[in-house]
Structure formats: structure tokens, C-alpha cells
Amino acid sequence: MAEEHLPELPMEFEMYLDKPYGGLFGDNVQTKIIEEVVADPYHDYRPKYFEEMTGARAPTVRKALTNLTNLGLLEKDVSDMQHPIYRLNLKAKKIIALTFLSYASIDDRDGTECMDNAILDYYMKVIRQKVQPLAVATMVQYECNGRIWTDKFFAGEGQQYGENVILASGQA
Amino acid sequence: MSDDTKLSSRSTVDTTRTIAPNPPNPPDPTYPVAKFLSWLIKRGSIRRLSECKKKWEAEGLDIESVVKGLSPQYMGIYRYKGEKIVKLENQAWASQWISHYDLEVPHHRHKKPLEKIFSVTENKTKV
């Protein structure tokens, strides 16, 4: 069978091929593990997985995993002492920050807006629920990266608009 | 109305809200492929095909077929030192679908419900 003709990878991308976060923290085993778990946060990981992924020896991987567990990035499940499982600690704020960093790395390289999109997504889905509105409007639309977000407000049951509700204009 | 009254009124406002973005532009990569896209974009959007295959075969994805099934404007396969390399070409498209399937930023509370999410296409065919 004839060999498949494929274009050569553009030279400017070669340096990013095996460099986590665009080479910002070097390409050591621990950084490679961090990039992988942040990229696939719901996976259950065994040390063997990282040995194969990084090409590093078992003691090196074990040391990195212990370090990341102590730092609160990973949680170690020792239900089976012989075969521990590592999971991402999804409560760690560092995970969110590292997720944004992963987007920022390609944004700086390619001039895209993935990090902005991710921050907006996080704000809309997580942060916004925690914010008490200071003023009430009927509808707001946001445009980012070609998508339109629509945010609608409704008065609750029995709520009278007008006298008791502070409107956005003038008084807020 | 005094300032004190205003503050008191503000605290009694009981609002509910709906917030949702417009559906992203097609093609819908489907949920399993969006998971792959989320991984790829967070790993720099350029990875060796052999690595992609090894990881995603277990998830039931044939990455080479997935890439070839998409237009080159979305993803492409390149050659580098004799190896095949997968490169995401349209980050904006991928980012929109990753967000649509709630895979953009990990949330603790989303771990279980994620498995129940179907793609837009799958939902249409179920009707």
C-alpha cells in the first residue's frame, strides 16, 4: 500500500510538541503529570499509566505523585494497597488556575481567545451563582468568541416589580 | 425613600434566572469527541497520534478516523520525524463545544452528571 502523503508539521510548532504548558516549567516528569491530570480531570490514574506516558522509571513517578498528593493536587485511594489509584482533587483552586494556564499557553502561541472563553464559562457557571445582584435588569446579552450568552432575570413569586425592586437605572 | 429602605428592599428581592449560550456552530463533535478535544487543547493542541490512540482507544475512540472524518479546517494530521502528529486547527470551534458539554473547567459537582450528557446529534436521533 502506498505511503500516506501528509504535510510536514510547521517548524514553529515543533518546540511545543512535548513541552507541557509551552515549556514554561521545563519538561520534567512532575510537570508532565500535572498537564495530563488537568487535561483529563475525571480519570482514575495508576502509577503505571504515568510511567508509560512519561517514559520515566517507577521511583521517579512515585516521587512526583507523592509530592503532588502532599501539595493537595492529587488524592490517593489506597483501597487496594498494592495498586493505589490517584485522582485529581477537584476542590483545589490550583486545578482551575492550571486549566486557565493551559488555555493561555495556546492563546499566546496562536493568538486565540480560549482562556477568555474558559474564564467567561467559569464565571457564568460557577462564580455568578455566588454573586448577589445589586440591581435587576430584564435581560443582558454577552458576545464572546462568536457565541452569544443570554442572561435573563425574573422576579420571584409574589414579587412586585416597581416599588420594592431597585431598578438598574438611576438608583443602583 | 431613605437609603436604609433601599437596602432593605434589595435584600428581599427573590430572583430566579436562566442563563445559557446559543448552541455552538456545527459540526457537533459529539460528547466523547469533545472529551478528546478538551484533553487535546489542554495539552497544547498538538500531540503524537500514537499517544492519542493509546489513550483514547480505551474510551472507544479511533482518533485517526475522528480526525479524518472532520474537515482539515478543524483538525489535521501532520508528519514530524516519521511520526504522525495530530493538530487542532480551529480552537474557537473546539472551545465552544467543550464549553457546551461542560468540559471547559472541571467542577466537583459535575463528575457524575457528565456521564449522562448526550450530544446534540444523539439527542435528535433519539426523538
Side-chain angles (χ1 to χ4, degrees), chain A residues 71-106:
Chain A
L71 287 167
L73 218 66
L74 295 176
E75 290 172 329
K76 186 178 181 182
D77 181 342
V78 287
S79 309
D80 179 354
M81 286 291 280
Q82 295 298 314
H83 304 96
I85 294 170
Y86 291 85
R87 295 187 184 95
L88 200 60
N89 175 14
L90 293 168
K91 291 174 188 162
K93 288 264 180 110
K94 289 186 281 263
I95 300 303
I96 309 295
L98 286 163
T99 303
F100 292 146
L101 178 63
S102 63
Y103 289 120
S105 301
I106 58 167

CSV table of all heavy atoms in Angstrom, one decimal, chain A residues 71-106:
chain,number,residue,atom,x,y,z
A,71,LEU,N,0.9,18.2,48.0
A,71,LEU,CA,0.6,19.6,47.7
A,71,LEU,C,-0.9,19.8,47.5
A,71,LEU,O,-1.4,20.9,47.3
A,71,LEU,CB,1.3,19.9,46.3
A,71,LEU,CG,2.8,20.2,46.4
A,71,LEU,CD1,3.4,20.2,45.0
A,71,LEU,CD2,3.1,21.5,47.2
A,72,GLY,N,-1.7,18.7,47.6
A,72,GLY,CA,-3.1,18.8,47.6
A,72,GLY,C,-3.7,18.8,46.2
A,72,GLY,O,-4.9,19.0,46.0
A,73,LEU,N,-2.9,18.5,45.2
A,73,LEU,CA,-3.4,18.4,43.8
A,73,LEU,C,-4.0,17.1,43.5
A,73,LEU,O,-5.0,17.0,42.7
A,73,LEU,CB,-2.2,18.7,42.8
A,73,LEU,CG,-2.4,19.5,41.6
A,73,LEU,CD1,-2.8,21.0,42.0
A,73,LEU,CD2,-1.2,19.5,40.7
A,74,LEU,N,-3.5,16.0,44.1
A,74,LEU,CA,-4.0,14.7,43.8
A,74,LEU,C,-4.5,14.1,45.1
A,74,LEU,O,-4.0,14.5,46.2
A,74,LEU,CB,-2.9,13.8,43.3
A,74,LEU,CG,-2.3,14.1,41.9
A,74,LEU,CD1,-1.2,13.1,41.5
A,74,LEU,CD2,-3.4,14.0,40.8
A,75,GLU,N,-5.4,13.1,45.0
A,75,GLU,CA,-5.9,12.3,46.2
A,75,GLU,C,-5.5,10.9,45.9
A,75,GLU,O,-5.7,10.4,44.8
A,75,GLU,CB,-7.4,12.5,46.3
A,75,GLU,CG,-7.8,13.9,46.8
A,75,GLU,CD,-9.3,14.1,46.8
A,75,GLU,OE1,-10.0,13.5,45.9
A,75,GLU,OE2,-9.7,14.9,47.6
A,76,LYS,N,-5.0,10.2,46.9
A,76,LYS,CA,-4.5,8.8,46.8
A,76,LYS,C,-5.6,7.9,47.4
A,76,LYS,O,-5.9,8.0,48.5
A,76,LYS,CB,-3.2,8.6,47.4
A,76,LYS,CG,-2.5,7.3,47.2
A,76,LYS,CD,-1.2,7.2,47.9
A,76,LYS,CE,-0.5,5.9,47.7
A,76,LYS,NZ,0.8,5.8,48.4
A,77,ASP,N,-6.1,7.0,46.6
A,77,ASP,CA,-7.0,6.0,47.0
A,77,ASP,C,-6.2,4.7,47.3
A,77,ASP,O,-5.7,4.1,46.3
A,77,ASP,CB,-8.1,5.8,46.0
A,77,ASP,CG,-9.2,4.8,46.4
A,77,ASP,OD1,-8.9,4.0,47.3
A,77,ASP,OD2,-10.2,4.8,45.7
A,78,VAL,N,-6.2,4.3,48.6
A,78,VAL,CA,-5.4,3.1,48.9
A,78,VAL,C,-6.3,1.9,49.3
A,78,VAL,O,-5.9,1.1,50.1
A,78,VAL,CB,-4.3,3.4,50.0
A,78,VAL,CG1,-3.2,4.2,49.5
A,78,VAL,CG2,-5.0,4.1,51.2
A,79,SER,N,-7.5,1.9,48.7
A,79,SER,CA,-8.4,0.7,49.0
A,79,SER,C,-7.6,-0.6,48.7
A,79,SER,O,-7.8,-1.6,49.4
A,79,SER,CB,-9.6,0.8,48.1
A,79,SER,OG,-10.2,2.1,48.2
A,80,ASP,N,-6.9,-0.5,47.6
A,80,ASP,CA,-6.0,-1.7,47.3
A,80,ASP,C,-4.6,-1.2,47.4
A,80,ASP,O,-4.1,-0.5,46.6
A,80,ASP,CB,-6.3,-2.1,45.8
A,80,ASP,CG,-5.4,-3.3,45.4
A,80,ASP,OD1,-4.5,-3.7,46.1
A,80,ASP,OD2,-5.6,-3.8,44.2
A,81,MET,N,-4.0,-1.6,48.5
A,81,MET,CA,-2.6,-1.1,48.9
A,81,MET,C,-1.6,-1.3,47.8
A,81,MET,O,-0.7,-0.5,47.6
A,81,MET,CB,-2.1,-1.7,50.2
A,81,MET,CG,-2.8,-1.1,51.4
A,81,MET,SD,-2.4,0.6,51.7
A,81,MET,CE,-0.8,0.5,52.5
A,82,GLN,N,-1.7,-2.5,47.1
A,82,GLN,CA,-0.8,-2.9,46.1
A,82,GLN,C,-0.9,-2.0,44.8
A,82,GLN,O,0.0,-1.9,44.1
A,82,GLN,CB,-0.9,-4.4,45.8
A,82,GLN,CG,-0.6,-5.3,46.9
A,82,GLN,CD,0.8,-5.2,47.4
A,82,GLN,OE1,1.8,-5.1,46.6
A,82,GLN,NE2,1.1,-5.0,48.7
A,83,HIS,N,-2.1,-1.6,44.6
A,83,HIS,CA,-2.4,-0.8,43.4
A,83,HIS,C,-3.1,0.5,43.7
A,83,HIS,O,-4.3,0.6,43.4
A,83,HIS,CB,-3.2,-1.7,42.4
A,83,HIS,CG,-2.5,-3.0,42.0
A,83,HIS,ND1,-2.9,-4.2,42.7
A,83,HIS,CD2,-1.6,-3.3,41.2
A,83,HIS,CE1,-2.1,-5.2,42.2
A,83,HIS,NE2,-1.3,-4.7,41.3
A,84,PRO,N,-2.4,1.4,44.2
A,84,PRO,CA,-3.1,2.7,44.5
A,84,PRO,C,-3.6,3.4,43.3
A,84,PRO,O,-3.0,3.3,42.2
A,84,PRO,CB,-2.0,3.5,45.2
A,84,PRO,CG,-0.7,2.9,44.8
A,84,PRO,CD,-1.0,1.5,44.5
A,85,ILE,N,-4.7,4.2,43.5
A,85,ILE,CA,-5.3,5.0,42.4
A,85,ILE,C,-5.1,6.4,42.8
A,85,ILE,O,-5.4,6.8,44.0
A,85,ILE,CB,-6.8,4.6,42.2
A,85,ILE,CG1,-6.9,3.1,41.7
A,85,ILE,CG2,-7.4,5.5,41.2
A,85,ILE,CD1,-8.3,2.6,41.7
A,86,TYR,N,-4.8,7.2,41.8
A,86,TYR,CA,-4.7,8.7,42.1
A,86,TYR,C,-5.8,9.4,41.3
A,86,TYR,O,-6.1,9.1,40.1
A,86,TYR,CB,-3.3,9.2,41.6
A,86,TYR,CG,-2.2,8.7,42.5
A,86,TYR,CD1,-1.6,7.5,42.3
A,86,TYR,CD2,-1.8,9.5,43.6
A,86,TYR,CE1,-0.6,7.0,43.1
A,86,TYR,CE2,-0.7,9.1,44.4
A,86,TYR,CZ,-0.2,7.8,44.2
A,86,TYR,OH,0.9,7.4,45.0
A,87,ARG,N,-6.4,10.3,42.0
A,87,ARG,CA,-7.5,11.1,41.4
A,87,ARG,C,-7.2,12.6,41.6
A,87,ARG,O,-6.5,13.0,42.6
A,87,ARG,CB,-8.9,10.9,42.0
A,87,ARG,CG,-9.4,9.5,41.7
A,87,ARG,CD,-10.8,9.3,42.2
A,87,ARG,NE,-11.2,7.9,42.0
A,87,ARG,CZ,-11.1,7.0,43.0
A,87,ARG,NH1,-10.7,7.3,44.2
A,87,ARG,NH2,-11.5,5.7,42.8
A,88,LEU,N,-7.6,13.4,40.7
A,88,LEU,CA,-7.4,14.9,40.8
A,88,LEU,C,-8.3,15.4,42.0
A,88,LEU,O,-9.5,15.0,42.1
A,88,LEU,CB,-7.8,15.6,39.5
A,88,LEU,CG,-7.3,17.0,39.3
A,88,LEU,CD1,-5.8,17.0,39.2
A,88,LEU,CD2,-7.8,17.5,37.9
A,89,ASN,N,-7.7,16.2,42.8
A,89,ASN,CA,-8.5,16.9,43.9
A,89,ASN,C,-9.3,18.0,43.2
A,89,ASN,O,-8.7,19.1,43.1
A,89,ASN,CB,-7.6,17.3,45.0
A,89,ASN,CG,-8.4,18.1,46.0
A,89,ASN,OD1,-9.6,18.1,46.1
A,89,ASN,ND2,-7.7,18.8,46.9
A,90,LEU,N,-10.5,17.8,42.9
A,90,LEU,CA,-11.3,18.8,42.1
A,90,LEU,C,-11.7,20.0,43.0
A,90,LEU,O,-12.2,21.0,42.5
A,90,LEU,CB,-12.6,18.1,41.5
A,90,LEU,CG,-12.3,17.1,40.4
A,90,LEU,CD1,-13.5,16.3,40.1
A,90,LEU,CD2,-11.7,17.8,39.2
A,91,LYS,N,-11.4,19.9,44.3
A,91,LYS,CA,-11.7,21.1,45.1
A,91,LYS,C,-10.6,22.1,45.1
A,91,LYS,O,-10.7,23.2,45.6
A,91,LYS,CB,-12.0,20.6,46.6
A,91,LYS,CG,-13.3,19.8,46.7
A,91,LYS,CD,-13.4,19.3,48.2
A,91,LYS,CE,-14.6,18.3,48.3
A,91,LYS,NZ,-14.4,17.5,49.5
A,92,ALA,N,-9.4,21.7,44.6
A,92,ALA,CA,-8.2,22.5,44.6
A,92,ALA,C,-8.4,23.7,43.6
A,92,ALA,O,-8.6,23.4,42.4
A,92,ALA,CB,-7.0,21.7,44.4
A,93,LYS,N,-8.2,24.9,44.1
A,93,LYS,CA,-8.3,26.0,43.2
A,93,LYS,C,-7.2,26.0,42.2
A,93,LYS,O,-7.3,26.6,41.1
A,93,LYS,CB,-8.2,27.3,44.0
A,93,LYS,CG,-9.5,27.6,44.8
A,93,LYS,CD,-10.4,28.5,44.1
A,93,LYS,CE,-11.6,28.8,44.9
A,93,LYS,NZ,-11.7,30.2,45.4
A,94,LYS,N,-6.1,25.4,42.6
A,94,LYS,CA,-4.9,25.3,41.7
A,94,LYS,C,-5.3,24.6,40.3
A,94,LYS,O,-4.7,24.9,39.3
A,94,LYS,CB,-3.7,24.6,42.3
A,94,LYS,CG,-3.1,25.3,43.5
A,94,LYS,CD,-1.9,24.6,44.0
A,94,LYS,CE,-2.2,23.5,44.9
A,94,LYS,NZ,-2.1,23.8,46.3
A,95,ILE,N,-6.2,23.7,40.4
A,95,ILE,CA,-6.7,23.0,39.2
A,95,ILE,C,-7.3,23.9,38.2
A,95,ILE,O,-7.1,23.9,37.0
A,95,ILE,CB,-7.7,21.8,39.6
A,95,ILE,CG1,-7.0,20.8,40.5
A,95,ILE,CG2,-8.2,21.1,38.3
A,95,ILE,CD1,-5.7,20.2,40.0
A,96,ILE,N,-8.2,24.8,38.8
A,96,ILE,CA,-8.8,25.8,37.9
A,96,ILE,C,-7.8,26.7,37.3
A,96,ILE,O,-7.8,27.0,36.1
A,96,ILE,CB,-9.8,26.6,38.8
A,96,ILE,CG1,-10.8,25.8,39.6
A,96,ILE,CG2,-10.6,27.6,37.8
A,96,ILE,CD1,-11.7,24.9,38.8
A,97,ALA,N,-6.9,27.2,38.1
A,97,ALA,CA,-5.8,28.1,37.6
A,97,ALA,C,-5.0,27.4,36.6
A,97,ALA,O,-4.6,28.0,35.5
A,97,ALA,CB,-5.0,28.6,38.8
A,98,LEU,N,-4.6,26.2,36.8
A,98,LEU,CA,-3.8,25.4,35.8
A,98,LEU,C,-4.6,25.2,34.5
A,98,LEU,O,-4.0,25.1,33.4
A,98,LEU,CB,-3.3,24.1,36.4
A,98,LEU,CG,-2.2,24.2,37.4
A,98,LEU,CD1,-2.1,23.0,38.3
A,98,LEU,CD2,-0.9,24.6,36.8
A,99,THR,N,-5.9,25.0,34.6
A,99,THR,CA,-6.7,24.8,33.4
A,99,THR,C,-6.7,26.1,32.6
A,99,THR,O,-6.5,26.1,31.4
A,99,THR,CB,-8.2,24.5,33.8
A,99,THR,OG1,-8.2,23.3,34.6
A,99,THR,CG2,-9.1,24.3,32.6
A,100,PHE,N,-6.8,27.2,33.3
A,100,PHE,CA,-6.7,28.5,32.5
A,100,PHE,C,-5.3,28.7,31.9
A,100,PHE,O,-5.2,29.2,30.8
A,100,PHE,CB,-7.0,29.7,33.5
A,100,PHE,CG,-8.4,29.8,33.9
A,100,PHE,CD1,-8.8,30.2,35.2
A,100,PHE,CD2,-9.5,29.4,33.1
A,100,PHE,CE1,-10.1,30.3,35.6
A,100,PHE,CE2,-10.8,29.4,33.5
A,100,PHE,CZ,-11.1,29.9,34.8
A,101,LEU,N,-4.3,28.2,32.6
A,101,LEU,CA,-2.9,28.3,32.1
A,101,LEU,C,-2.7,27.5,30.9
A,101,LEU,O,-2.1,27.9,29.9
A,101,LEU,CB,-1.9,27.9,33.2
A,101,LEU,CG,-0.4,27.9,32.8
A,101,LEU,CD1,0.0,29.3,32.4
A,101,LEU,CD2,0.4,27.3,33.9
A,102,SER,N,-3.4,26.3,30.8
A,102,SER,CA,-3.3,25.5,29.6
A,102,SER,C,-3.8,26.2,28.4
A,102,SER,O,-3.3,26.1,27.3
A,102,SER,CB,-3.9,24.1,29.8
A,102,SER,OG,-5.3,24.3,30.1
A,103,TYR,N,-5.0,26.9,28.6
A,103,TYR,CA,-5.6,27.7,27.5
A,103,TYR,C,-4.6,28.9,27.2
A,103,TYR,O,-4.5,29.2,26.0
A,103,TYR,CB,-6.9,28.2,27.9
A,103,TYR,CG,-8.0,27.1,28.0
A,103,TYR,CD1,-8.7,26.9,29.2
A,103,TYR,CD2,-8.3,26.4,26.9
A,103,TYR,CE1,-9.7,25.9,29.3
A,103,TYR,CE2,-9.3,25.4,26.9
A,103,TYR,CZ,-10.0,25.2,28.1
A,103,TYR,OH,-10.9,24.2,28.2
A,104,ALA,N,-4.1,29.5,28.2
A,104,ALA,CA,-3.3,30.7,28.0
A,104,ALA,C,-2.0,30.3,27.1
A,104,ALA,O,-1.6,31.1,26.3
A,104,ALA,CB,-2.8,31.3,29.3
A,105,SER,N,-1.5,29.1,27.3
A,105,SER,CA,-0.3,28.7,26.6
A,105,SER,C,-0.6,28.7,25.1
A,105,SER,O,0.3,29.1,24.3
A,105,SER,CB,0.1,27.3,27.1
A,105,SER,OG,0.4,27.3,28.5
A,106,ILE,N,-1.8,28.2,24.7
A,106,ILE,CA,-2.0,28.1,23.2
A,106,ILE,C,-2.5,29.5,22.7
A,106,ILE,O,-2.2,29.8,21.6
A,106,ILE,CB,-3.0,27.0,22.8
A,106,ILE,CG1,-4.3,27.1,23.5
A,106,ILE,CG2,-2.4,25.6,23.0
A,106,ILE,CD1,-5.3,26.2,22.9
